Amino acid sequence: MKKKLIAGNWKMNGSLTANDALVRALVTGGAGKGCLVAVCVPAPYLAQVQSLTAGTGIDLGAQDVSQHEVGAFTGEASSAMLRDFGVRYCLVGHSERRQYHGETDAAVAAKAQRALAAGITPVVCVGETLAEREAGLTEEVVKRQLAAVIHTNGHCISEIVVAYEPVWAIGTGKTASTEQAQQVHAVLRTQLRAATPHADKMHILYGGSMNAANAAQLLSQADIDGGLVGGAALKPADFLAIIAAAQ
Ligand code: PGA
């Protein structure tokens, strides 16, 4: 059976001291020994967390990557640079990037392509806003977002991870019900099956207020292969409990 993947998204949180304590607590708690575990850290801490996680089974992730290969793009980091620090996963198209940085579906698809070219697994985030859900547009929105990535990366689409994160559930304490989440995951799986014979081996993560209390039920659903965890990933006991629920 496919191992589940639990990825922490630290967002813009952390410090040298706090990261050290957090990663050491995760290692002591056995993270990385059962299911797949990754931490997606702010770029300045990649080197620190690379050395903290070396040999532990915890994989290193980044939170964004440039859609460009190299050159005059002040402030950006290329996929080759991330690769230099042993980055295994990279979030692309997180709703905060789409919302605050105007990332379009085309830009997200180009970022996924750059990551893949560098041997990094893009974790492609899709999800509807509350207004879109209330207007009955959930399926249309997530299918459009994923279709852009499939269109650009069709030949290696089985190498990506998909994360379904309803925007209204991120950081709000509101979680999609297991039925709501599973329903969208099934839609995404069907879309992937049309694009690749390997869709059933791929990971589709749920994200949005996943916590120690709701993880087991969400992770028991047929098409929920792991979690993308924000707030709870900063608390070792909570993140370890989610990991335990995944193994
Ligand atoms: P949350 O964030 O778990 O704090 O809701 C998830 C995410 O944004 O990836």
Side-chain angles (χ1 to χ4, degrees), residues 9 11 94 96 165 169-171 208-210 228-231:
N9 173 11
K11 309 195 179 189
H94 188 279
E96 288 149 17
E165 298 204 303
I170 294 178
S209 300
M210 184 181 267
L228 180 54
V229 184

Tab-separated table of all heavy atoms in Angstrom, residues 9 11 94 96 165 169-171 208-210 228-231, ligand 1:
chain	number	residue	atom	x	y	z
A	9	ASN	N	3.791	22.910	6.383
A	9	ASN	CA	4.050	24.182	5.708
A	9	ASN	C	4.229	25.227	6.810
A	9	ASN	O	3.255	25.660	7.410
A	9	ASN	CB	2.854	24.532	4.805
A	9	ASN	CG	2.975	25.924	4.208
A	9	ASN	OD1	4.032	26.556	4.288
A	9	ASN	ND2	1.897	26.405	3.603
A	11	LYS	N	5.094	28.218	6.543
A	11	LYS	CA	4.794	29.583	6.089
A	11	LYS	C	5.919	30.515	6.570
A	11	LYS	O	7.064	30.093	6.657
A	11	LYS	CB	3.411	30.015	6.572
A	11	LYS	CG	2.345	28.967	6.221
A	11	LYS	CD	0.944	29.450	6.343
A	11	LYS	CE	-0.007	28.334	5.943
A	11	LYS	NZ	-1.377	28.756	5.830
A	94	HIS	N	0.403	27.778	-3.813
A	94	HIS	CA	-0.340	27.865	-2.551
A	94	HIS	C	-1.319	29.037	-2.656
A	94	HIS	O	-1.015	30.053	-3.280
A	94	HIS	CB	0.632	28.066	-1.381
A	94	HIS	CG	-0.056	27.969	-0.060
A	94	HIS	ND1	-0.753	29.022	0.475
A	94	HIS	CD2	-0.192	26.931	0.807
A	94	HIS	CE1	-1.286	28.636	1.633
A	94	HIS	NE2	-0.954	27.372	1.853
A	96	GLU	N	-2.043	31.346	-0.761
A	96	GLU	CA	-1.502	32.649	-0.338
A	96	GLU	C	-0.644	33.265	-1.438
A	96	GLU	O	-0.592	34.488	-1.578
A	96	GLU	CB	-0.720	32.478	0.986
A	96	GLU	CG	-1.677	32.238	2.154
A	96	GLU	CD	-1.133	31.382	3.277
A	96	GLU	OE1	0.091	31.201	3.374
A	96	GLU	OE2	-1.959	30.876	4.069
A	165	GLU	N	-6.652	22.274	-1.041
A	165	GLU	CA	-6.771	23.142	0.125
A	165	GLU	C	-7.895	24.152	-0.107
A	165	GLU	O	-7.669	25.201	-0.750
A	165	GLU	CB	-5.462	23.900	0.362
A	165	GLU	CG	-4.287	23.006	0.662
A	165	GLU	CD	-3.202	23.753	1.452
A	165	GLU	OE1	-2.728	24.788	0.971
A	165	GLU	OE2	-2.868	23.306	2.544
A	169	ALA	N	-10.798	27.130	4.408
A	169	ALA	CA	-10.431	26.268	5.537
A	169	ALA	C	-9.002	26.502	6.009
A	169	ALA	O	-8.568	25.929	6.997
A	169	ALA	CB	-10.605	24.797	5.142
A	170	ILE	N	-8.267	27.373	5.298
A	170	ILE	CA	-6.849	27.557	5.628
A	170	ILE	C	-6.693	28.562	6.756
A	170	ILE	O	-7.098	29.721	6.627
A	170	ILE	CB	-6.054	28.014	4.384
A	170	ILE	CG1	-6.049	26.899	3.345
A	170	ILE	CG2	-4.631	28.396	4.769
A	170	ILE	CD1	-5.348	27.254	2.065
A	171	GLY	N	-6.137	28.092	7.857
A	171	GLY	CA	-5.841	28.975	8.984
A	171	GLY	C	-7.073	29.516	9.688
A	171	GLY	O	-6.989	30.422	10.504
A	208	GLY	N	-5.866	22.396	5.172
A	208	GLY	CA	-6.851	23.381	5.644
A	208	GLY	C	-7.308	22.998	7.031
A	208	GLY	O	-8.211	22.187	7.193
A	209	SER	N	-6.602	23.569	8.036
A	209	SER	CA	-6.949	23.313	9.441
A	209	SER	C	-6.931	21.830	9.799
A	209	SER	O	-7.715	21.383	10.651
A	209	SER	CB	-8.290	23.956	9.806
A	209	SER	OG	-8.223	25.361	9.623
A	210	MET	N	-6.041	21.064	9.164
A	210	MET	CA	-5.873	19.675	9.623
A	210	MET	C	-5.179	19.732	10.987
A	210	MET	O	-4.252	20.517	11.195
A	210	MET	CB	-5.036	18.856	8.637
A	210	MET	CG	-4.943	17.385	9.052
A	210	MET	SD	-3.944	16.373	7.918
A	210	MET	CE	-5.186	15.743	6.809
A	228	LEU	N	-1.370	18.435	4.051
A	228	LEU	CA	-0.498	19.612	4.013
A	228	LEU	C	-0.935	20.460	5.204
A	228	LEU	O	-2.068	20.944	5.245
A	228	LEU	CB	-0.665	20.360	2.682
A	228	LEU	CG	0.194	21.617	2.509
A	228	LEU	CD1	1.677	21.342	2.726
A	228	LEU	CD2	-0.017	22.211	1.112
A	229	VAL	N	-0.035	20.570	6.164
A	229	VAL	CA	-0.415	21.047	7.495
A	229	VAL	C	0.277	22.381	7.769
A	229	VAL	O	1.508	22.458	7.706
A	229	VAL	CB	0.021	20.010	8.556
A	229	VAL	CG1	-0.458	20.438	9.938
A	229	VAL	CG2	-0.496	18.614	8.201
A	230	GLY	N	-0.489	23.414	8.089
A	230	GLY	CA	0.085	24.718	8.388
A	230	GLY	C	0.289	24.899	9.888
A	230	GLY	O	1.285	24.448	10.453
A	231	GLY	N	-0.669	25.514	10.538
A	231	GLY	CA	-0.547	25.863	11.958
A	231	GLY	C	-0.084	24.715	12.841
A	231	GLY	O	0.819	24.879	13.683
B	1	PGA	P1	-3.512	25.461	8.037
B	1	PGA	O1	-2.686	25.799	6.703
B	1	PGA	O2	-3.239	24.030	8.383
B	1	PGA	O3	-2.952	26.418	9.064
B	1	PGA	O4	-4.949	25.720	7.739
B	1	PGA	C1	-2.580	24.855	5.663
B	1	PGA	C2	-1.834	25.456	4.504
B	1	PGA	O5	-2.032	26.654	4.225
B	1	PGA	O6	-1.051	24.784	3.832
